[in-house]
Every structure is written in C-alpha cells, then in structure tokens.
Amino acid sequence: MASRLFPQRGAPVAIAAKTHMARRALPARRLLRAHTAASASALLADWFGTSSSGNGVTAREARSLRRRARELRENSSIVARYSHLCRDNILGTNGVTLAAFVPRPRGKNEEASRRLEERWYRWVTKATVDGRSLLVALQQIVESWKVEGEGLATMVLRGSELALEVIDADRLDQDYTETLRTGHHIEQGIESDATGRIVAYHIFDAAEDDQRRKTRRRWSADDVLYIGHRVRPGQRRGLTPLAPVMVLIQHLEKTDEALVVLNRTAASKMFQLVAQEWATPLLGPDGEVVQASTDDVGNDEVSPGATWVPPHGYKAETIDPGQPTQEYDALQTNLLRKVATGLNVAATSLTGNLSDANYGSQRGGLLAERDAWMVDQQLLIDEVLVRLFDRWLRVEVLAQRVQLPLGVTVAEVVERSEWYPRRWSWIDPEKDAKGLGELIKLRLTSHRRELNKMGIDVRTLFEEIRDDEALAKEFGLTLLVGTGTAAAKPSGDTSEDDDDEKPKTTPRSIRTAA
C-alpha cells in the first residue's frame, strides 16, 4: 500500500496537493532555523533592543556620556593611559608632515613647493589664537575626539593671519533642534541644508559655568573644524568610544579603590571598645554619659608604634576586615583585556604589563592596533588637516604671502599635496629591514611606498642624502653604505672595515609639522 505522506508517481493530483501542504506546515522546523538572538526565551527576557535613531540616542545620552568620559579621563588610570595612547600614536612627537605639491605643466614645481612648505612650517609654530603650536591644538582635538567623542575648533583671523581655537564640545548647543523656514534643519546645534550637507554650527561663546554662555553664535561650516565618533547613518553628534566599556572601567576603578582601602585597614589593625559588666560609664566632652558604640568613643587615631591604654572597664578588640580573594588578579587581567578589546587597542599597550608578552604575540597584537591608528590618522587628515590647509592657503594667497604660479588654483595644490603621519618601528628592526630589502629587490614594493608608511617624503629623503654626500665630499670624506650600515672615512683610505664594526646610523630627520 502506498504511503499517504509520499504518494507514488501517478497519484491523483488532489492527494499530491494535500501531501505538499502537509509538508509545508512545519512551524517547529522553521523556528529552529530562525536567529536565536531574536527569540523570546526565558534566558533572553532581560535583553532589550533599541529602535532609536542615532540622533535620538545622542540627544538623550551624549551629554551624560561625555561628562562621565571626561571624569574618567581625569581620575581613571585606564582612561588616562588610553588618552595618551591616542595622542602619541595618532600624532607622535612631530605631528603630521606636509609635503606640498605645486603643479606645473609637467610634474612638480619644486621651488614653489619648497617655499610653500617653509611658509606652512613657520605658521604652525604659532597657529593658535594664544600663540601655541599646531601640534598642541591637534593633541587637544585628538584627546577630546577619542575620549569624549567629539573634537571641535574654530578658525578665526588674527590680524591678517589665520588662527585656530580649540573649544569644548559642550559649547556646541546640544538642545538646539529646529527646522527653519529656509528649509534648513538644525539637529543638536548642527545645521544642514535640504540635501543634508552641513552648512553651519551653533556654538555658545563660553562654557556652561560661564556667564557669557547666554550668547550663541552661528558659525559657517567653512570656519569650523569638527571630527566626531559617529557609528549610525545620519548621526550628527559623536558619542564617546568609551561607551561600551565605561561601566566596566568604573567597576574596576572602584574595586581597586576598595582593595586599597581594605589592605590599608588590615595593616592598620583597627579596634573597637567592648564594655565589661562592671565598667564605669564613659563621659563625653559635655559631661553626658555616652555609649561605647557611638562615634564619640574609640575613634581616635593611634600612631604606629604607640602604646594606648583603654578606659577602665573596657577592653579593645581588633577588627579583622579579612583579605581580598587571591583570584582577583586573574579576574582583573581578564577584565582589562575586555576593556582593551572594546577600545581596539592591544592589552599590553593599555596595561603596560609585558610579563606574558613575547615577540610573536606582541607583534600580532600591535598589527591590529596600528591598523586602527592609521584609520584614525586618515580621518584626522581628511576631517581636520586638509580643511585647515585649504582655508590657510586661501588666506595666505589673499594676503599675498604665498604666490602660486599662473594658472594654478588653491584647490589643485590642496588636492595634490600629501600628508605623512607618524609610523612605528618594531622590536627587532633588523629582521624587518632585511625582509623589506628583499621585497624591494623583487620589485614587489617601492622606496616611495615604504617611506610613506614611515611618514617620510621620498623626495625630501633623497635631497638630504644628496646634501650629505656633497658635504662629506667637501670635507674629504666618503660615505660608505653597506647592508644596513653606514660609515664615513677619509677619501684616501681604501681599507675595508668589517661589517660588524661599522656604526649604524639613521637618515637625518625630515622637517616636521611642529
């Protein structure tokens, strides 16, 4: 007899259709194929999602998160370390180097490019309204951006020169949201036109605790440098990158504080007074009878090594607060690794603990971290430095302090100029240098590409090598370049030195932005 669920070939159409519908009606199997994270099980009953937009989240939470992140930077060693890592790795000691490019019909106008660079490097030493360097201003912008979620600066004219003023993100009016008659929409202090392009920022003249905050000014977007940590489409204001790990950091800091107090208490050997049945009542300063359990009795501090005699009829009993669990060190290490993961940095960089690190593990962790730093460097270049250079160059051309060749526009110079941020060396640079040399020999990379990764302009380096060789020749010396070594000897000396005895040198530092 044929099965009712699987009719044989040639079965009536009605039977086949009924069997097909029976096979489709399998709700239990469809549930098994659904996403477990979307199920409504008892284990996930306390897991709530969010349907708020990016702007809705920032409107409700950005101010509180920003203030708490700022407090952590001031009081948490973990966040202070993270802030310094951001500043040191994104900017380094010399900031970001500009390689100006003034074009000509064929190639680069070397003389005009050199003059433009010299003018830029003179300006960056006093780029701010209070006369400080551009590197100092960029450090403040980067730390505010990577800790509080937003970096903000305004560009103003100081006489006939452009000047930069870094301001707190709190001054950008968080509560100002409105649609104007012109069709422009203001979202939390940031104004955009009908196409969504940002056209203005609405900024208070002072901080919240200043009386001048009553005045709010509309700044054109051409006069403002803004960089924010945005994660949602259409999100106008940035949120602190610390948000995913902020609670964990706070718990770690408070736990560490409690453990320090606990150990200090245990070392202090605190005591309490216990009255005997025949004890004489204790009298307070006003002559009234007090109980031994009140704060007026037994809370005097005893100096280390001193002898103290309790009152007649009372005995002192020590209080043992106990010792912290021995498993906390492992727990703390694990939690710090989670914090480092949430901040996208290597745990060894965040904690400074190299006890378990070796060359392979440290290099592997730093590779991912440095990729993240390079992403941040490019964002800083695109959002801040390129726009700053464009505005500065226009001011310089209008003031006739910089003269571009006929037919060359500011936009062309800004577009073709290059920026070289800092790069990093490895624990064993000799191995990396040998491997890099082999890649260049095999034509799998170029000197320009690899020098750009180190933040060095290839043309500037070659010019310096040429100048060094000319200077050595003037003094009767010959620069010897070996495999990874360099030495100088008199030109008449033809003796060969052993490679191991040659002193290692590095190229002279290029010009820097600050």
Side-chain angles (χ1 to χ4, degrees), residues 19-228:
T19 305
H20 175 67
M21 294 300 296
R23 287 201 300 268
R24 289 183 57 189
L26 297 174
R29 293 185 180 180
R30 283 208 306 269
L31 286 177
L32 291 176
R33 297 190 185 100
H35 294 286
T36 305
S39 62
S41 64
L43 293 176
L44 305 179
D46 58 346
W47 186 7
F48 303 99
T50 176
S51 58
S52 299
S53 64
N55 289 325
V57 172
T58 55
R60 294 190 308 270
E61 302 175 0
R63 181 181 288 106
S64 176
L65 289 174
R66 185 166 56 246
R67 292 172 177 174
R68 291 182 176 181
R70 188 181 300 129
E71 189 276 333
L72 285 175
R73 179 177 58 186
E74 296 170 354
N75 296 292
S76 169
S77 59
I78 300 174
V79 179
R81 170 70 171 174
Y82 170 71
S83 178
H84 295 161
L85 286 175
C86 294
R87 180 196 63 192
D88 298 342
N89 284 280
I90 296 176
L91 294 174
T93 57
N94 299 320
V96 183
T97 303
L98 168 68
F101 190 101
V102 179
R104 63 180 182 181
R106 292 184 180 180
K108 178 180 181 181
N109 190 325
E110 298 291 348
E111 182 63 22
S113 300
R114 181 186 60 80
R115 291 198 302 267
L116 178 57
E117 286 183 13
E118 290 177 352
R119 176 59 190 165
W120 167 261
Y121 291 126
R122 284 198 300 271
W123 177 78
V124 299
T125 59
K126 48 181 178 54
T128 65
V129 293
D130 53 357
R132 293 182 296 172
S133 69
L134 177 62
L135 179 59
V136 174
L138 291 178
Q139 287 176 343
Q140 293 177 338
I141 292 174
V142 166
E143 291 195 52
S144 179
W145 165 41
K146 296 301 293 180
V147 174
E148 300 176 21
E150 296 176 299
L152 188 65
T154 56
M155 295 177 285
V156 297
L157 286 177
R158 184 180 56 188
S160 62
E161 287 191 334
L162 189 71
L164 198 64
E165 182 180 9
V166 183
I167 60 178
D168 282 334
D170 285 338
R171 290 174 56 182
L172 185 57
D173 193 352
Q174 185 87 35
D175 301 321
Y176 188 23
T177 299
E178 184 181 356
T179 300
L180 306 179
R181 295 181 179 179
T182 59
H184 289 194
H185 179 69
I186 302 174
E187 184 69 47
Q188 301 172 51
I190 300 179
E191 181 179 341
S192 57
D193 59 17
T195 64
R197 180 177 177 271
I198 297 176
V199 296
Y201 294 84
H202 295 263
I203 302 173
F204 285 107
D205 290 341
E208 288 182 330
D209 55 354
D210 196 312
Q211 295 296 328
R212 295 174 298 168
R213 186 176 173 81
K214 298 177 182 179
T215 305
R216 183 182 61 208
R217 178 180 171 186
R218 183 184 185 273
W219 288 76
S220 171
D222 295 333
D223 299 328
V224 177
L225 300 174
Y226 177 89
I227 184 169

Side-chain angles (χ1 to χ4, degrees), residues 493-511:
D493 186 2
T494 59
S495 62
E496 296 183 359
D497 300 324
D498 185 75
D499 289 342
D500 294 335
E501 299 298 327
K502 297 176 183 178
K504 297 183 180 180
T505 63
T506 56
R508 183 161 51 92
S509 174
I510 65 171
R511 295 188 296 272

Side-chain angles (χ1 to χ4, degrees), residues 271 301-310:
F271 64 89
E301 182 176 352
V302 179
S303 301
T307 302
W308 178 81
V309 179

Side-chain angles (χ1 to χ4, degrees), residues 362-382:
Q362 191 170 0
R363 182 185 176 101
L366 289 177
L367 278 173
E369 178 186 318
R370 290 177 178 178
D371 285 342
W373 295 135
M374 287 189 284
V375 171
D376 290 335
Q377 288 173 342
Q378 192 60 47
L379 287 174
L380 182 69
I381 291 172
D382 294 340

